[in-house]
Amino acid sequence: MPELPEVEIVRQSLLKNIKGKKINKVLVRNRNLRLKLETAFEKKLKNKFISNIKRFSKYLIIELENKNFCIVHLGMSGTIHIIKNKKDNLPTNTSFYNTPNLPKNHNHVEFFFKDMRLIYNDPRRFGYFQIFNDFNSLKKKFKKFGPEPFNKKFNSKYLINYFKKKEKSIKNFLLDQNFVSGIGNIYASEILYLSKINPSLSAKYLKQDQCKNIVINSRKILQNAIRKGGSTIRDFKNTKGDQGNFQKEFKVYGRDKQNCKRFSCSGTINKITQSNRSTFLCEICQK
């Protein structure tokens, strides 16, 4: 599943390509996504101008000229493809997973602009679209979400107060969108490695300096991932034909049985399972 950095790269691609453009037509081939598309979906978007493309957590937010909002969640396998009318055989994928070009099947929703088309592809159909008629309705959607790692509310004081008497492991907290929004499995492992914290440690045992390190390293890892174009885990290329490069800097994720990359550490990276997800850690650095 795309995490915050990958969705941010998609946002940047969409901002560059469709901001200010008019949606001439919407074609829905399959309404049965994770949330069934409402019957008025096409009507609410047709002939509307796109005023901005924003992001919160792992959600894309398409802001329309009439102050309506359409959010997009890519789910497990959703990708967004841009097909320019006068350019053939170029990578179309604005996203980070699967083929860089438009697949033949599972193209569920299509937006038509004057000089291009935007196509939503999703084999598993875990992604979805939702339309909100005003900002307050959109705000309610995210009411229970925790702050993003870049938000000033995400600080050591917030962590210390949140973790009081909490038995759940710190790794599972980093994946809990009610605690912090946007961090997924890959980056949680990398953040805890950089912070020298065992992913299985109960959050209530974290000390103040450890909480501070989590805040600092969450921002550091995610900012670096965005600069590197996200992480390519499978066959990803963006609309320029470039792969994300952050996977080349993984210190632990996917490195089971390999040597720790930390200077002067003789440890080995181990893979464990937490809540049915793979976690990677150094046997020495993260005791």
Side-chain angles (χ1 to χ4, degrees):
M1 176 185 292
E3 301 183 25
L4 186 154
E6 288 75 48
V7 178
E8 173 60 20
I9 299 301
V10 177
R11 185 197 72 82
Q12 293 175 12
S13 294
L14 294 180
L15 187 69
K16 180 180 178 180
N17 284 282
I18 66 173
K19 180 182 177 181
K21 293 186 181 294
K22 178 183 176 182
I23 303 172
N24 292 327
K25 177 183 174 182
V26 178
L27 174 63
V28 176
R29 293 188 176 88
N30 189 346
R31 294 188 185 276
N32 297 314
L33 304 179
R34 180 171 151 195
L35 298 179
K36 188 171 183 177
L37 290 179
E38 59 179 291
T39 54
F41 181 79
E42 297 95 323
K43 184 178 179 180
K44 287 184 177 182
L45 295 176
K46 185 179 179 180
N47 294 326
K48 301 297 189 299
F49 283 89
I50 295 174
S51 59
N52 208 351
I53 308 291
K54 298 180 180 179
R55 179 196 54 74
F56 177 75
S57 183
K58 304 174 187 179
Y59 292 81
L60 294 165
I61 303 173
I62 301 173
E63 184 176 339
L64 304 173
E65 60 174 339
N66 60 354
K67 297 304 177 183
N68 285 2
F69 301 87
C70 177
I71 68 167
V72 185
H73 192 279
L74 298 173
M76 294 293 293
S77 60
T79 52
I80 294 175
H81 298 259
I82 292 176
I83 312 294
K84 296 188 177 181
N85 293 348
K86 295 182 180 180
K87 294 185 179 181
D88 298 325
N89 302 318
L90 293 176
T92 62
N93 197 344
T94 64
S95 197
F96 291 77
Y97 294 80
N98 305 314
T99 174
N101 300 310
L102 180 67
K104 294 181 180 179
N105 300 315
H106 310 295
N107 296 314
H108 303 306
V109 182
E110 189 166 351
F111 296 79
F112 291 81
F113 301 91
K114 182 180 179 180
D115 55 351
M116 67 179 67
R117 292 175 292 146
L118 186 151
I119 299 173
Y120 177 73
N121 180 278
D122 192 349
R124 297 188 184 183
R125 291 187 285 119
F126 287 160
Y128 63 89
F129 294 74
Q130 270 186 301
I131 295 177
F132 296 88
N133 296 326
D134 53 63
F135 179 74
N136 287 332
S137 299
L138 177 69
K139 192 175 179 180
K140 288 180 182 178
K141 167 72 177 181
F142 300 118
K143 184 178 181 180
K144 294 182 179 180
F145 282 64
E148 286 195 341
F150 300 126
N151 193 306
K152 63 181 181 180
K153 293 180 181 179
F154 187 70
N155 53 49
S156 56
K157 184 178 179 181
Y158 169 73
L159 269 66
I160 291 167
N161 290 333
Y162 201 99
F163 291 156
K164 284 181 180 178
K165 299 181 180 180
K166 300 285 182 29
E167 296 285 348
K168 189 162 72 172
S169 73
I170 179 56
K171 166 72 183 303
N172 284 333
F173 264 117
L174 289 179
L175 299 181
D176 185 347
Q177 302 302 296
N178 293 322
F179 164 62
V180 59
S181 296
I183 297 176
N185 198 42
I186 294 170
Y187 296 109
S189 286
E190 294 296 314
I191 290 165
L192 292 174
Y193 171 80
L194 194 58
S195 304
K196 296 184 178 180
I197 295 172
N198 190 309
S200 299
L201 181 68
S202 293
K204 67 178 183 179
Y205 294 123
L206 286 168
K207 299 175 182 177
Q208 185 172 354
D209 62 333
Q210 291 176 309
C211 290
K212 184 178 179 180
N213 285 337
I214 288 172
V215 172
I216 292 171
N217 292 327
S218 293
R219 292 170 181 163
K220 183 177 181 179
I221 291 288
L222 295 174
Q223 285 171 345
N224 193 24
I226 291 169
R227 283 195 297 269
K228 297 291 184 180
S231 300
T232 295
I233 306 303
R234 281 172 274 178
D235 186 18
F236 161 75
K237 289 187 179 180
N238 61 23
T239 52
K240 295 180 180 179
D242 301 322
Q243 289 189 335
N245 283 310
F246 188 72
Q247 74 283 353
K248 297 176 183 177
E249 300 192 15
F250 286 169
K251 299 297 189 297
V252 285
Y253 189 85
R255 299 191 64 248
D256 187 31
K257 307 304 180 186
Q258 297 183 44
N259 293 334
C260 176
K261 288 188 175 184
R262 201 184 303 275
F263 179 73
S264 75
C265 179
S266 59
T268 301
I269 304 304
N270 290 332
K271 177 182 175 181
I272 63 173
T273 300
Q274 292 180 281
S275 301
N276 296 318
R277 297 191 183 193
S278 298
T279 295
F280 299 87
L281 70 154
C282 174
E283 61 183 2
I284 293 180
C285 292
Q286 297 173 264
K287 280 186 176 179

